[in-house]
Amino acid sequence: MKSFDLLFDANGNAVIYNITGVDGLDCLELTKPYIEEMEDKANPAVTEIDPEHTLSDNNTFEDAN
Amino acid sequence: MSHLTRIATSLNDPEKIENALVWLGFNFQRDTSINSFNGDIKCDFVITNAGHWNVGLRKSLDGKYEVVGDSVSWGSMAQHPKMKAAMAKVKNDDRRNVFAGILAQAVGVTTAMIEAAKLGHNITVSDPDEDGIIRARVVTAS
């Protein structure tokens, strides 16, 4: 049986680990679609813009202070 | 005090966001407004089972989506089955970051599930644990 685990960190990136029954270049080939998909398309780094915002009268964001 | 917050993400694919919201078990509506203490705010996605003060996602000018919600939303969000464990130990104001982190991971998870299906692999995925981490195991077809 060939298997591997994917761990998704807080930024949505995948880490591949606990690879079983695969070695060397086979491992790279096996995991390539996942790595590419994660890096190219998911990769949703989370950053808080600002802890507090309020809405102005015209419904746009502006800093609370 | 109630206040509106927004969190930037690098999410830019509405289809992937929709898949992630479905996997997380949220009810949501497209192209409607969230209720906020400061008034209604137009969003691309509005999660409707997160309490009276909803949480939304809206596309920002750079094409990436941001999470928008009133600060009082996060207490209700902490009761959601897939958020409960991760939000139990954090302060209310930190829950918005937990939500954004889990949503981002859910995009990765659902993307991996789609890729696994294409390759004929089996994939099992855990719910977010108390640290807000999602894990998946892929077993290949051969």
Side-chain angles (χ1 to χ4, degrees):
Chain A
M1 183 181 74
K2 297 177 181 178
S3 69
F4 56 90
D5 290 351
L6 295 170
L7 176 67
F8 297 88
D9 67 18
N11 289 328
N13 299 310
V15 177
I16 298 169
Y17 70 110
N18 203 18
I19 298 165
T20 305
V22 198
D23 56 20
L25 293 175
D26 286 345
C27 175
L28 288 176
E29 284 303 311
L30 192 62
T31 56
K32 194 175 173 183
Y34 295 91
I35 295 171
E36 287 183 346
E37 189 67 20
M38 297 303 136
E39 290 182 347
D40 292 350
K41 295 181 181 175
N43 194 29
V46 173
T47 310
E48 186 169 346
I49 295 174
D50 207 345
E52 295 194 9
H53 281 75
T54 59
L55 280 179
S56 65
D57 291 341
N58 60 0
N59 207 35
T60 57
F61 285 102
E62 58 185 20
D63 289 336
N65 51 357
Chain B
M1 182 182 163
S2 175
H3 58 269
L4 195 69
T5 59
R6 58 180 187 156
I7 301 170
T9 79
S10 292
L11 300 171
N12 58 11
D13 186 332
E15 187 180 345
K16 287 180 186 296
I17 291 172
E18 186 163 340
N19 290 339
L21 292 174
V22 169
W23 183 78
L24 287 167
F26 286 119
N27 298 328
F28 60 91
Q29 294 178 350
R30 298 289 300 265
D31 303 321
T32 185
S33 299
I34 64 167
N35 301 317
S36 161
F37 193 73
N38 303 78
D40 292 345
I41 301 159
K42 185 95 170 116
C43 289
D44 298 278
F45 295 89
V46 172
I47 296 170
T48 56
N49 56 341
H52 176 67
W53 303 103
N54 296 324
V55 172
L57 285 127
R58 70 176 200 170
K59 201 171 190 176
S60 52
L61 292 175
D62 64 0
K64 296 174 182 175
Y65 285 81
E66 60 184 19
V67 177
V68 183
D70 194 282
S71 59
V72 298
S73 304
W74 306 111
S76 303
M77 181 66 82
Q79 303 306 312
H80 186 75
K82 280 195 165 63
M83 298 288 161
K84 213 168 187 174
M87 289 189 174
K89 293 180 181 175
V90 299
K91 294 176 185 173
N92 192 55
D93 277 354
D94 292 332
R95 286 174 175 157
R96 56 197 177 205
N97 295 324
V98 172
F99 169 78
I102 289 175
L103 176 65
Q105 291 176 77
V107 168
V109 164
T110 49
T111 302
M113 291 167 82
I114 291 167
E115 288 301 303
K118 283 181 191 170
L119 298 169
H121 299 170
N122 290 318
I123 181 168
T124 53
V125 182
S126 72
D127 284 348
D129 65 15
E130 61 182 12
D131 294 320
I133 300 298
I134 301 172
R135 294 177 172 81
R137 169 159 291 180
V138 179
V139 179
T140 68
S142 58

